[in-house]
Amino acid sequence: FDWLSLDEARVHCARGAGVWDWAGTETGGREPDVVLACAGDVPTQEVLAAAGLLRDRVPDLAVRVVNVVDMTRLLPREEHPHGMPEAEYDALFTRDKPVIFAYHGYPWLIHRLAYRRAGHPRLHVRGYKESGTTTTPFDMVVRNDLDRYRLVMDVIDRVPGLGARAAAVRQSMADARARHHFWIREHGTDLPEVAAWSWSG
């Protein structure tokens, strides 16, 4: 997937981390209710798919999507020359909103990088848990709880007051995971809606 134009990608990579406003649902200067963050190709795809599901199923939720390409940006400036000053980090990830971070490596690394940040108690990281075997690409993501459906469930579980309001949405996400489980065992391929997914925001 090419999420950005060449010029946009150059700016984004030079910045190291940034908001992809085209993927989120923040409007009119409203603070986000939740931040969906990602690093890595597969986690980025799953976060964008999750953002699309939230846009469709919970349209009143303000979602911010943050993509990180330089992990050292998560460190404080005092610890690394690429690190973000506190004010910049807080502006990007917020100080008090839940952050669901999808990462292509071990989750503990993100926690180690961001443990001194004000919002760390609300940081929830999904990443590689050494779960899986020779199976389909999406099943590997599901086995590590890094899939779009799990990310939507994480948002519903962690945004205050959303659980009761979006119980039916959460149930449909759990049902999609169960449907995936049976589908791959019968067909040996990923669900059609996953295999054919493309960004349509």
Side-chain angles (χ1 to χ4, degrees), residues 103-110 125 127-130:
Y103 177 53
H104 61 271
Y106 294 109
W108 53 258
L109 176 62
I110 303 300
V125 185
Y128 183 55
K129 301 193 303 188
E130 298 193 17

Side-chain angles (χ1 to χ4, degrees), residues 6 29 77 146:
L6 180 58
R77 173 60 61 84
L146 189 56

Side-chain angles (χ1 to χ4, degrees), residues 46-192:
E46 292 306 305
V47 158
L48 291 175
L53 287 167
L54 289 165
R55 181 189 304 266
D56 293 341
R57 308 286 183 90
V58 194
D60 59 329
L61 188 71
V63 177
R64 172 179 292 173
V65 174
V66 172
N67 181 260
V68 180
V69 292
D70 179 353
M71 306 313 296
T72 60
R73 294 289 284 149
L74 301 176
L75 287 164
R77 173 60 61 84
E78 308 81 54
E79 300 297 327
H80 194 281
H82 293 187
M84 281 190 237
E86 202 70 27
E88 184 180 351
Y89 183 95
D90 291 345
L92 192 61
F93 291 101
T94 78
R95 291 180 64 87
D96 58 354
K97 299 297 189 293
V99 177
I100 313 300
F101 201 124
Y103 177 53
H104 61 271
Y106 294 109
W108 53 258
L109 176 62
I110 303 300
H111 285 292
R112 285 186 176 185
L113 293 172
Y115 80 97
R116 292 172 59 184
R117 301 298 190 172
H120 185 254
R122 284 163 294 286
L123 174 63
H124 180 69
V125 185
R126 291 288 184 183
Y128 183 55
K129 301 193 303 188
E130 298 193 17
S131 181
T133 182
T134 304
T135 183
T136 70
F138 187 68
D139 191 50
M140 284 295 292
V141 179
V142 172
R143 286 171 182 244
N144 287 277
D145 286 324
L146 189 56
D147 60 283
R148 60 199 67 184
Y149 306 120
R150 170 60 68 189
L151 296 174
V152 170
M153 293 164 70
D154 284 338
V155 168
I156 292 169
D157 291 346
R158 286 169 172 77
V159 172
L162 187 57
R165 243 182 340 120
V169 177
R170 191 188 193 287
Q171 180 175 297
S172 71
M173 297 297 110
D175 291 348
R177 285 171 57 91
R179 188 161 41 86
H180 154 80
H181 178 82
F182 294 115
W183 177 273
I184 64 162
R185 279 151 185 80
E186 181 177 350
H187 300 279
T189 60
D190 287 325
L191 290 166

